Amino acid sequence: VGQALVFAYQANAEYMTTAKPPVSSLFQIGPSNFMEGKAQAVDLARKDYIRYFLLGSEDDESKGQADAFKEWLKILKPNVEFIGESWLPMGAGDYTPSIEKALAAKPDMVYATLQGKDLANFTRQAKALGFFNKVAFTAPYDVGVLQELKQDMVPGVRAYSRAPFFALNTTSVKRFAEAYVNKTGLYPSDTAILALEAVRVWAQLLSTSASLKWADLLRQGDGMSFDFLAGPGFIKENDHQSSLGSFIGETKWDDKYGFMTFDNLRYIPGEDLWRSLEEI
């Protein structure tokens, strides 16, 4: 990266901050795929599900998250079984073979890392095939996907997300969401919220650093406290991973927004999920 500071607000592959040597000039604003996978393991370890089927895209981000999920669920619930997997190219289009393969395995839970349009298309096809009536399912249903699906989404599905605006009940978020709707006609996606966070982190670095020199900005960023939209947090020393975590809930229709949001909302903070400095 050289002497440029980079703020990654959406791409969240863990290796970007844990490479050897680490890319010290990169700040990871959203939770890494490792953190996201571990968060789901922490939450699902409390449930009765034993037999899991994994489903996702053939990319490092999706598979890395699934690997973290498997690793930590095994640690937290040793009797868990992973009974099958299906990995598809991004934009696969036809998800019927994967849906049939998952159902044939008779899992207790299907854990998916599909995102965006792929997840929206999968959900429509799976719903038409009665998939959600036969098996429990969880996937990263962010605001963008929920807005696209609207009533095509299925209520009661376990969902996880990085920065849903409706879970951030602050004046700043409400004001941003209102301006965003007025400008675009849509509510801000998780990506939009994280992009805003990246700009805010950058602004704080500029306003608090001893100088605008690259080395001074990096020193200022190490362990920097920050008031995220989700609440007080910080940028971890050494690898510059933010403390933003994972939002989890079950989908429910929301008349206020005209799409489904999260019921039974819970939040796992990043400092409970990331690797220690010793591990890195």
Side-chain angles (χ1 to χ4, degrees):
V1 177
Q3 292 191 340
L5 297 186
V6 177
F7 296 84
Y9 62 85
Q10 177 65 2
N12 68 336
E14 186 190 34
Y15 67 77
M16 294 195 301
T17 49
T18 58
K20 297 179 181 180
V23 184
S24 62
S25 57
L26 187 143
F27 289 76
Q28 181 77 281
I29 303 302
S32 72
N33 57 351
F34 172 84
M35 293 164 65
E36 204 161 33
K38 182 179 176 181
Q40 309 323 309
V42 169
D43 187 69
L44 282 166
R46 307 178 184 124
K47 308 295 184 182
D48 294 333
Y49 309 120
I50 300 296
R51 292 164 54 83
Y52 281 81
F53 187 96
L54 304 180
L55 188 152
S57 301
E58 292 176 329
D59 62 86
D60 290 343
E61 186 175 322
S62 291
K63 288 192 171 182
Q65 187 202 128
D67 287 343
F69 174 71
K70 287 191 290 184
E71 173 189 349
W72 274 94
L73 194 58
K74 271 289 188 185
I75 292 171
L76 297 170
K77 195 166 188 173
N79 64 330
V80 74
E81 300 174 23
F82 295 98
I83 59 172
E85 300 181 1
S86 181
W87 302 101
L88 305 99
M90 295 182 72
D94 182 10
Y95 298 96
T96 303
S98 293
I99 293 167
E100 292 176 344
K101 182 178 179 181
L103 291 176
K106 299 188 183 306
D108 298 324
M109 166 67 79
V110 176
Y111 179 89
T113 58
L114 294 168
Q115 297 186 39
K117 292 280 188 184
D118 288 347
L119 179 56
N121 290 334
F122 173 90
T123 300
R124 292 188 181 99
Q125 292 177 32
K127 183 178 180 180
L129 293 170
F131 174 86
F132 297 101
N133 297 324
K134 301 172 184 176
V135 68
F137 181 73
T138 186
Y141 283 103
D142 66 18
V143 170
V145 175
L146 294 172
Q147 282 191 102
E148 178 177 338
L149 285 169
K150 293 186 175 65
Q151 292 180 331
D152 285 341
M153 184 58 213
V154 179
V157 171
R158 183 186 180 279
Y160 56 98
S161 184
R162 296 170 189 165
F165 78 93
F166 54 75
L168 307 171
N169 191 26
T170 66
T171 301
S172 296
V173 173
K174 289 177 180 177
R175 188 164 55 241
F176 177 67
E178 182 178 348
Y180 198 95
V181 170
N182 290 339
K183 181 74 172 180
T184 68
L186 297 170
Y187 286 94
S189 65
D190 293 47
T191 302
I193 293 290
L194 290 173
L196 175 62
E197 296 283 41
V199 172
R200 294 175 71 244
V201 170
W202 170 231
Q204 180 167 314
L205 271 178
L206 288 178
S207 64
T208 57
S209 176
S211 78
L212 299 186
K213 292 181 180 178
W214 180 71
D216 288 334
L217 289 166
L218 286 181
R219 275 193 292 270
Q220 181 63 27
D222 268 352
M224 182 179 79
S225 296
F226 190 79
D227 187 17
F228 289 104
L229 298 173
F234 60 99
I235 304 294
K236 186 150 64 81
E237 184 183 355
N238 184 271
D239 70 345
H240 294 157
Q241 170 67 56
S242 92
S243 60
L244 288 175
S246 184
F247 293 86
I248 303 165
E250 284 72 45
T251 54
K252 67 166 185 177
W253 181 258
D254 196 320
D255 285 330
K256 179 178 179 180
Y257 301 118
F259 55 88
M260 293 197 187
T261 56
F262 290 4
D263 194 15
N264 188 28
L265 182 71
R266 51 242 190 232
Y267 176 70
I268 303 178
E271 53 264 44
D272 293 345
L273 302 171
W274 57 31
R275 297 185 195 271
S276 66
L277 292 179
E278 290 74 23
E279 285 180 282
I280 295 171

